[in-house]
Amino acid sequence: MVAEASKVQIRPAIAADNLEIFGLIQALATYENLTVTGSAANLADDLFGAFPAAEAIVAEDLELGKLVGFVLFFANYSTFLTRPGIHLEDLFVLPQYRRQGIGKSLIAAVAQVAIARNCARLEWSVLDWNSLAIDFYRGLGAEVLPDWRICRVTGTGLTNLAGAALAD
């Protein structure tokens, strides 16, 4: 799919896109006041290695030959629906390319993957302070769930938790 006004193509990511995707991830982290602690090498392995953990779809400016946005996603499962789903981990479009329908096209592409794979739902998280994103997602028909909070265990906490199961 190509957006005529900006000549942007939405397509599945390929291994040659890895460094640009990683750069977009770093730009997203800056926008969200976060820090990237991973590496481009890990990303390449996780997206394009022998056992991919995630997938990505990119937006490429055809005139400049550069990536201007991406969406990264992976499979999940709903026990209540007893059907697979897709979790959208990250969506990012460079600021100068926003308001051209690129973000919507990227999410729509993931929705097409979900439909093709007979998924029951597509879901993602949004930071509570990001009212622009919340309004954008609601405009796409997404419901922002008020009652759910993300729980996360990383690093030493993850190691300790794993060890706790062995100690019991």
Side-chain angles (χ1 to χ4, degrees):
M1 153 183 356
V2 176
E4 294 301 321
S6 59
K7 296 192 171 82
V8 172
Q9 180 183 28
I10 306 299
R11 61 169 176 78
I14 58 173
D17 297 327
N18 188 65
L19 288 177
E20 283 189 89
I21 294 170
F22 191 71
L24 291 169
I25 290 169
Q26 291 172 316
L28 171 61
T30 298
Y31 175 75
E32 293 182 345
N33 298 312
L34 298 171
T35 302
V36 175
T37 59
S39 70
N42 286 349
L43 180 67
D45 191 47
D46 292 338
L47 289 179
F48 308 109
F51 302 101
E55 300 172 65
I57 296 172
V58 297
E60 179 182 10
D61 182 319
L62 296 174
E63 291 178 348
L64 299 177
K66 73 171 197 168
L67 300 186
V68 300
F70 80 103
V71 61
L72 188 138
F73 60 95
F74 51 86
N76 64 13
Y77 190 81
S78 169
T79 53
F80 294 151
L81 299 173
T82 61
R83 300 256 310 278
I86 288 181
H87 177 80
L88 189 158
E89 179 66 15
D90 287 321
L91 169 69
F92 183 73
V93 176
L94 291 173
Q96 62 270 33
Y97 287 86
R98 294 180 186 159
R99 302 198 182 281
Q100 297 180 34
I102 296 169
K104 182 177 182 178
S105 293
L106 286 165
I107 291 179
V110 178
Q112 291 169 357
V113 170
I115 296 296
R117 294 179 186 175
N118 197 31
C119 293
R121 64 183 175 202
L122 169 61
E123 59 189 1
W124 60 91
S125 302
V126 61
L127 292 167
D128 62 357
W129 58 259
N130 196 342
S131 59
L132 291 175
I134 291 169
D135 291 345
F136 171 69
Y137 296 144
R138 283 186 173 139
L140 296 177
E143 177 185 2
V144 178
L145 303 175
D147 300 330
W148 290 87
R149 300 291 183 265
I150 297 170
C151 298
R152 179 176 293 154
V153 182
T154 62
T156 304
L158 181 59
T159 302
N160 291 342
L161 180 58
L166 298 175
D168 289 340

